């Protein structure tokens, strides 16, 4: 046993930093549970056309409206007789994947703004950060609501609105990472070698300071999914009859008191996805923390 432990410690010491991060992450049971939940739900949503025709999402059957959960309709039907299971599965495409698209756009925009501000400094830093400060002075949900109101309802308008509201947060995180790393010796060596500023920022600075940025992106994803559902509930997101978890709750809010399943099922889906994303974010934060024990 002692020899085996020594071999394990030796193999860990020979691993790269990314392998150590992956090892720490796999040790976190809650994080792995979050990955399993998120992957399972993503596969069910992506493969929906294979086992659930989209016609069931929009087909109305008023004679069978507000039917409780049964073998024919596992999650029951809404006030128009539409199958709740089909609407929730297809609604997850917007609630989940629109959130991922929002974070991806905000991540790229934040890296561009924060990377330029932190690397070049001076007037560039001052101008960009003052713009970021102005955007951060407005609550992100309120800013997103204002942009959606100006652009109109729609999936892409919602994604753009939420991405713009999240860019300042990523810009701040990226800027702090760049300020920490830009004076390192290997950065000076890259400058002497004649490497362009863009390559230095992308290949050396962001690559070595990606940890806090990834953690911030993961933790923000849960908040973004909640924002998408909240705006859908308020009527500022995806317009009916297109399904989305927040919109589904809004459509059935008058009947939830007498038919609780209309609100419980999409609400539980939102809670489970956000919980899984937060578990993953916490696991990544612990994995990137150098003080975490192996």
């Amino acid at each position: 046993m002692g020899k085996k432990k020594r071999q394990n410690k030796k193999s860990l010491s020979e691993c790269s930093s990314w392998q150590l991060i992956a090892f720490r992450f796999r040790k976190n049971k809650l994080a792995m549970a979050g990955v399993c939940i998120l992957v399972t739900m993503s596969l069910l949503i992506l493969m929906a056309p294979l086992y659930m025709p989209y016609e069931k999402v929009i087909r109305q059957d008023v004679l069978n409206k507000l039917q409780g959960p049964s073998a024919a309709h596992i999650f029951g039907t809404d006030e128009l007789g539409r199958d709740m299971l089909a609407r929730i599965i297809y609604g997850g495409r917007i609630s989940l994947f629109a959130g991922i698209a929002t974070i991806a756009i905000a991540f790229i925009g934040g890296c561009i703004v924060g990377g330029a501000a932190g690397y070049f400094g001076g007037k560039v830093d001052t101008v960009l950060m003052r713009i970021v400060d102005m955007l951060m002075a407005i609550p992100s949900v309120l800013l997103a609501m204002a942009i959606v109101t100006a652009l109109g309802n729609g999936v892409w308008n919602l994604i753009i609105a939420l991405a713009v509201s999240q860019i300042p947060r990523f810009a701040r995180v990226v800027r702090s990472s760049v300020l920490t790393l830009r004076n390192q010796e290997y950065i000076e060596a890259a400058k002497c070698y004649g490497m362009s500023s863009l390559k230095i920022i992308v290949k050396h600075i962001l690559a070595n300071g990606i940890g806090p940025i990834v953690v911030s992106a993961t933790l923000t994803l849960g908040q973004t999914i909640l924002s998408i559902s909240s705006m859908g509930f308020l009527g500022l997101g995806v317009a009916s009859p297109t399904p989305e978890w927040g919109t589904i709750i809004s459509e059935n809010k008058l009947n939830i008191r007498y038919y609780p399943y209309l609100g419980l099922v999409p609400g539980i889906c939102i809670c489970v996805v956000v919980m899984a994303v937060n578990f993953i974010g916490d696991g990544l934060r612990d994995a990137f923390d150098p003080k975490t024990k192996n």
Side-chain angles (χ1 to χ4, degrees):
M1 288 293 293
K3 184 177 180 181
K4 187 175 180 181
K5 287 183 178 180
R6 287 194 298 270
Q7 289 177 346
N8 289 337
K9 288 182 179 180
K10 184 178 179 181
S11 62
L12 282 176
S13 63
E14 294 174 351
C15 289
S16 66
S17 59
W18 287 104
Q19 289 174 321
L20 289 174
I21 290 170
F23 175 77
R24 295 190 190 105
F25 183 79
R26 288 195 300 268
K27 285 183 62 179
N28 192 315
K29 294 181 180 179
L30 285 178
M32 295 306 298
V35 170
C36 293
I37 293 171
L38 194 61
V39 169
T40 301
M41 295 194 72
S42 299
L43 290 176
L44 288 174
I45 292 169
L46 283 174
M47 295 189 299
L50 299 178
Y51 63 89
M52 184 77 67
Y54 188 77
E55 182 186 354
K56 297 187 70 173
V57 176
I58 57 177
R59 185 176 59 196
Q60 300 180 11
D61 185 6
V62 181
L63 296 177
N64 291 315
K65 68 177 183 179
L66 299 174
Q67 296 290 319
S70 63
H73 304 284
I74 297 176
F75 290 159
T77 60
D78 63 7
E79 63 181 359
L80 297 176
R82 295 173 297 191
D83 187 76
M84 284 290 291
L85 175 61
R87 290 185 64 78
I88 287 170
I89 290 175
Y90 279 91
R93 291 188 167 193
I94 296 175
S95 298
L96 180 57
F97 295 115
I100 295 174
T102 299
I103 294 301
I105 296 172
F107 180 87
I108 295 171
C111 286
I112 294 172
V113 175
Y119 182 78
F120 295 107
K123 292 182 179 180
V124 175
D125 184 23
T126 301
V127 172
L128 291 177
M129 285 301 103
R130 295 301 75 78
I131 296 174
V132 168
D133 290 340
M134 286 189 291
L135 291 175
M136 292 188 72
I138 307 172
S140 58
V141 176
L142 183 60
L143 178 60
M145 290 172 64
I147 297 173
V148 167
T149 303
L151 297 177
N153 289 354
V155 177
W156 283 107
N157 290 342
L158 179 63
I159 291 173
I160 292 171
L162 289 171
V164 171
S165 67
Q166 294 296 337
I167 284 176
R169 171 180 295 186
F170 287 101
R172 281 289 184 185
V173 176
V174 172
R175 177 179 177 270
S176 64
S177 297
V178 173
L179 288 175
T180 304
L181 298 171
R182 69 176 183 178
N183 293 323
Q184 296 293 325
E185 292 182 356
Y186 61 88
I187 302 298
E188 297 296 332
K191 290 179 181 178
C192 295
Y193 185 72
M195 186 174 289
S196 65
S197 299
L198 180 61
K199 286 186 177 180
I200 292 174
I201 294 172
V202 174
K203 190 173 181 180
H204 294 291
I205 296 179
L206 290 180
N208 287 282
I210 197 69
I213 306 171
V214 171
V215 173
S216 178
T218 309
L219 294 174
T220 307
L221 176 58
Q223 179 184 344
T224 303
I225 294 172
L226 283 176
S227 297
I228 291 172
S229 299
S230 300
M231 295 180 71
F233 180 80
L234 295 173
L236 295 173
V238 180
S240 182
T242 303
E244 187 273 322
W245 290 338
T247 305
I248 292 172
I249 298 175
S250 179
E251 290 173 344
N252 298 286
K253 60 186 176 183
L254 297 178
N255 298 307
I256 288 176
R257 179 178 179 182
Y258 304 102
Y259 305 95
Y261 67 88
L262 295 173
L264 283 176
V265 178
I268 289 173
C269 290
I270 295 170
C271 292
V272 169
V273 169
V274 173
M275 180 184 66
V277 171
N278 287 338
F279 284 163
I280 295 171
D282 290 339
L284 287 173
R285 181 187 59 197
D286 295 340
F288 278 105
D289 186 0
K291 297 181 180 178
T292 303
K293 295 182 180 179
N294 293 334

